[in-house]
Amino acid sequence: MTVGIRHDDLRRRNRAMVISAVRRGGQTSRTGIAAITGLSHSTISSISSDLIAEGILAEARNEPLALKRGRPQVGLTLEPKAAVVMTVVLSLNFLAATLLDYAGEIVAEEQRRLDTRAMPRKQLIDECVAIVRRRLDDRKREGRRVLRIVLAIQGITDAPARAMLWSPITPHTDIAFADILEREFSVPVTVENDCNMMAVALRWRDPERYKDDFIAILLSHGIGMGLVLKGELFTGTHSSGGEFGHMIHRPDGALCRCGRRGCIEAYAGNYAIWRNARMMGEDDEPVDDIDEADMRTLAQVARERDGPERQAYRKAGEALGFGLGSLFALIDPAPVAMVGASTAAFDLIEPALREAIAKTAGGHHSTSISFDTEPDQMALLRDGCAMRALTFIDNDIFASGNPAQMELAAGHEMA
């Protein structure tokens, strides 16, 4: 039996395909959109005309796109003024909010240093509300509404993307950030695990390498993971999942900042490398924060001599390698992006990491496993959150062509 597609659903799907093709291409001709989407030229012409009239797309203002032969094609771009989104990043002792236009360009940004480990629950929430309010006030003065807020946080979030369940950056648990911010500002909000947002950003930056199956590993004060399988971001049934750093490396081993013992992070996180390099005991409390300059100095010492500093990096590589090897035994080897400031010392970590993988059931193809490094984790976080927010607007607001949604995007309240 053939199931028909309603006209409204078909129109919505086709509009979404055109918007997606332009977002992916940056500046794309109608012929290019046809090649990407498979839609007819007449359909694309009709849809693009509507989207231009609605202020969602615009014709490129620079030189027309040249073809090998025939009439020059005018490129289509996203209209930056069509919408505004906000990204918020909450990590250890750090809070940032960024406004981006519909083309993904930064409009305004604010960063703050906080003592997240020591802050009372209410103060932590109030800081997040305050930074959002300041940036929203900027938008109100310019007469345009923010249509989506995405908050990325270091730690475990719930599967519906509404709340922070647990985080090593604060002793407080079960904070319903999405509900709090939505009540305060009447803007849709999602709460996402930070490493998941890194994986989203990598896929947008390099879709050929980071396509169907890949892993993003955060190498920082903590250890995290974003995992994409069969083209879909992996999340658990109840939570964000992917807590790679808190898989057990050695039962009853070194103290982790999560309060348990023997986690991968307790050997590979910055505080763990620092603890081992300084020949401190495994029972010693993890240091809350370590300056990046101090870690760079530590890595340089490790390169210059085979002492406890180099051994600390070997232990980190071993913990990461056994963890990845166990993961590869389940999913097969996949491209890995190492993300964060600590990738500057990946040359000290990689040999032991590869040796450990080779000793596991997932290490049969260990020599072919490739590792890339991405040192700027904050840029990846921001970009991942932005793409989460912008593609929501693409698919759930602008693809519908709902006049009420168009009015809201332009900053006018509907009666």
Side-chain angles (χ1 to χ4, degrees):
M1 177 179 177
T2 302
V3 179
I5 300 176
R6 291 175 49 205
H7 174 73
D8 287 350
D9 292 338
L10 181 62
R11 177 175 175 270
R12 182 188 184 109
R13 186 195 70 178
N14 290 346
R15 282 170 63 99
M17 290 171 67
V18 171
I19 294 170
S20 176
V22 177
R23 183 169 297 285
R24 175 63 71 187
Q27 179 180 332
T28 311
S29 70
R30 291 166 177 80
T31 300
I33 294 171
I36 294 169
T37 64
L39 298 174
S40 69
H41 286 271
S42 60
T43 298
I44 292 168
S45 179
S46 174
I47 290 173
S48 61
S49 294
D50 289 344
L51 293 172
I52 290 170
E54 293 163 9
I56 296 169
L57 297 184
E59 291 190 332
R61 296 181 178 86
N62 54 1
E63 291 297 317
L65 296 174
L67 296 177
K68 290 182 179 178
R69 63 182 65 177
R71 186 177 178 181
Q73 297 291 302
V74 177
L76 294 175
T77 65
L78 300 166
E79 172 53 63
K81 296 179 181 179
V84 182
V85 299
M86 181 184 296
T87 69
V88 182
V89 175
L90 179 60
S91 59
L92 180 67
N93 298 335
F94 180 83
L95 176 65
T98 305
L99 286 170
L100 302 101
D101 64 26
Y102 189 56
E105 296 297 321
I106 295 174
V107 175
E109 193 169 23
E110 179 183 350
Q111 298 181 355
R112 289 177 58 78
R113 295 291 298 177
L114 308 173
D115 189 354
T116 57
R117 290 287 302 169
M119 294 179 78
R121 182 188 186 94
K122 184 177 184 303
Q123 186 182 356
L124 181 65
I125 293 170
D126 288 348
E127 287 283 357
C128 292
V129 170
I131 199 170
V132 171
R133 187 184 306 282
R134 288 191 292 272
R135 300 285 65 81
L136 286 179
D137 286 345
D138 290 343
R139 287 293 89 195
K140 287 178 182 176
R141 285 191 288 272
E142 296 180 19
R144 189 162 292 273
R145 287 173 58 88
V146 172
L147 296 186
R148 191 77 169 180
I149 299 172
V150 176
L151 166 64
I153 191 162
Q154 210 172 58
I156 301 174
T157 61
D158 63 349
R162 305 293 300 170
M164 180 204 80
L165 303 179
W166 172 86
S167 175
I169 71 171
T170 174
H172 311 301
T173 59
D174 299 310
I175 301 179
F177 278 113
D179 292 340
I180 292 166
L181 293 173
E182 286 181 0
R183 282 196 302 268
E184 194 73 26
F185 303 112
S186 299
V187 178
V189 179
T190 58
V191 179
E192 305 281 0
N193 171 266
D194 60 343
C195 291
N196 285 350
M197 293 302 95
M198 291 175 187
V200 169
L202 287 167
R203 194 174 188 190
W204 274 94
R205 285 188 181 186
D206 190 351
E208 289 303 312
R209 174 171 171 77
Y210 302 113
K211 189 177 181 182
D212 295 328
D213 302 282
F214 68 91
I215 302 164
I217 298 288
L218 175 64
L219 299 183
S220 185
H221 195 71
I223 303 296
M225 181 183 72
L227 176 62
V228 173
L229 296 176
K230 305 302 180 187
E232 297 292 333
L233 188 66
F234 173 80
T235 57
T237 55
H238 302 292
S239 72
S240 51
E243 284 300 310
F244 175 79
H246 300 288
M247 291 169 56
I248 296 300
H249 171 53
R250 290 184 180 171
D252 302 318
L255 181 63
C256 181
R257 63 176 175 158
C258 75
R260 298 180 180 85
R261 289 183 171 275
C263 299
I264 291 172
E265 184 181 294
Y267 296 88
N270 278 0
Y271 67 86
I273 295 172
W274 184 267
R275 181 169 57 190
N276 285 329
R278 294 289 177 260
M279 303 181 70
M280 300 162 66
E282 290 192 341
D283 295 335
D284 287 4
E285 286 289 333
V287 178
D288 268 351
D289 201 0
I290 302 168
D291 190 82
E292 287 183 13
D294 290 336
M295 290 302 298
R296 287 194 295 270
T297 300
L298 186 70
Q300 190 55 41
V301 172
R303 293 185 183 98
E304 292 170 356
R305 70 182 186 207
D306 189 6
E309 297 85 2
R310 189 179 296 178
Q311 185 60 28
Y313 282 104
R314 287 192 190 121
K315 287 182 178 180
E318 182 182 68
L320 291 166
F322 280 124
L324 281 172
S326 296
L327 182 62
F328 291 154
L330 296 174
I331 67 170
D332 286 340
V336 180
M338 295 292 185
V339 179
S342 295
T343 59
F346 191 62
D347 59 310
L348 296 165
I349 292 171
E350 185 176 10
L353 184 153
R354 287 191 178 277
E355 289 174 11
I357 290 177
K359 295 176 182 177
T360 68
H364 294 302
H365 305 286
S366 59
T367 56
S368 65
I369 298 170
S370 59
F371 296 95
D372 282 350
T373 56
E374 297 278 350
D376 193 346
Q377 69 191 65
M378 289 303 166
L380 270 183
L381 267 174
R382 182 197 62 224
D383 291 352
C385 290
M387 292 314 305
R388 200 63 145 184
L390 290 167
T391 52
F392 170 83
I393 293 172
D394 292 347
N395 299 324
D396 290 69
I397 298 179
F398 288 165
S400 69
N402 186 328
Q405 299 288 9
M406 301 301 113
E407 288 290 325
L408 285 176
H412 305 294
E413 296 289 351
M414 297 298 294

